[in-house]
Amino acid sequence: MAPGRKRSPNTVNRHLASLSSFGHWLVRWNYLPTNPLDKLIRARRVRRLPQILSLEELRRLLALPVTHMEAAIRAVFCYAGLRRGEVIGLDWRQVDLEGEYLRVMGKGGHERAIGLTPWVNGALVDYLLAIGPQPPTQAVFLGRQGKRIQR
């Protein structure tokens, strides 16, 4: 970064944390009696909202021609609200197409049940019909080698 250029509060806090760790090391090895950086007040952290698609961007995305698998992945992302890791880790035993819900292990190991809209359920049914019957322990979304898709 160029000299004299203003740094963000997050960058300043990261630098202060590094210096503070060094200060703790100096205290532990008796080079200093106390850590002088412990008395500093840190800058307020900037919290950014996640970027989301606009309604028009989402419409354009959903209008693109795709395979059955891609349509099912888009459906669970957009309408079921699954995170990337939840989509990758989804097994058929977690999908109840008749009851129209998914059971997903989310953040922190918490299980949540997600109701499926008719559009998501239809996309998953179309995908299942395209690939044929699957064992319950099989991953829902498979790559070319027949293994679970990756990030």
Side-chain angles (χ1 to χ4, degrees):
M1 185 173 275
R5 191 164 170 202
K6 189 170 180 162
R7 288 163 175 78
S8 76
N10 292 349
T11 301
V12 172
N13 284 342
R14 215 172 43 250
H15 291 187
L16 289 175
S18 295
L19 290 171
S20 184
S21 292
F22 180 61
H24 285 294
W25 181 85
L26 291 171
V27 170
R28 186 176 41 188
W29 291 98
N30 296 319
Y31 289 106
L32 289 176
T34 61
N35 186 355
L37 293 166
D38 283 344
K39 295 179 180 148
L40 286 179
I41 297 172
R42 305 283 166 94
R44 178 163 254 166
R45 187 170 167 238
V46 177
R47 295 180 188 251
R48 295 183 188 99
L49 291 174
Q51 297 263 332
I52 61 170
L53 296 175
S54 70
L55 191 53
E56 182 55 35
E57 290 170 324
L58 183 60
R59 283 188 181 127
R60 283 196 321 248
L61 173 70
L62 295 176
L64 293 172
V66 293
T67 66
H68 289 293
M69 182 173 83
E70 291 166 344
I73 289 173
R74 281 196 322 200
V76 295
F77 266 133
C78 296
Y79 291 102
L82 267 63
R83 298 176 182 95
R84 179 180 60 191
E86 294 168 343
V87 171
I88 291 169
L90 196 61
D91 291 335
W92 283 110
R93 69 173 168 255
Q94 298 170 272
V95 179
D96 185 347
L97 294 172
E98 292 174 7
E100 297 185 344
Y101 73 93
L102 301 173
R103 285 187 332 266
V104 178
M105 290 303 285
K107 283 183 159 182
H110 298 283
E111 185 178 63
R112 37 186 196 127
I114 300 167
L116 300 178
T117 66
W119 194 78
V120 176
N121 203 51
L124 286 169
V125 168
D126 290 347
Y127 172 55
L128 186 57
L129 290 173
I131 62 172
Q134 299 293 311
T137 56
Q138 180 67 49
V140 174
F141 301 113
L142 301 175
R144 292 180 196 217
Q145 284 95 24
K147 295 181 183 174
R148 189 180 301 273
I149 60 172
Q150 298 295 310
R151 301 187 310 144

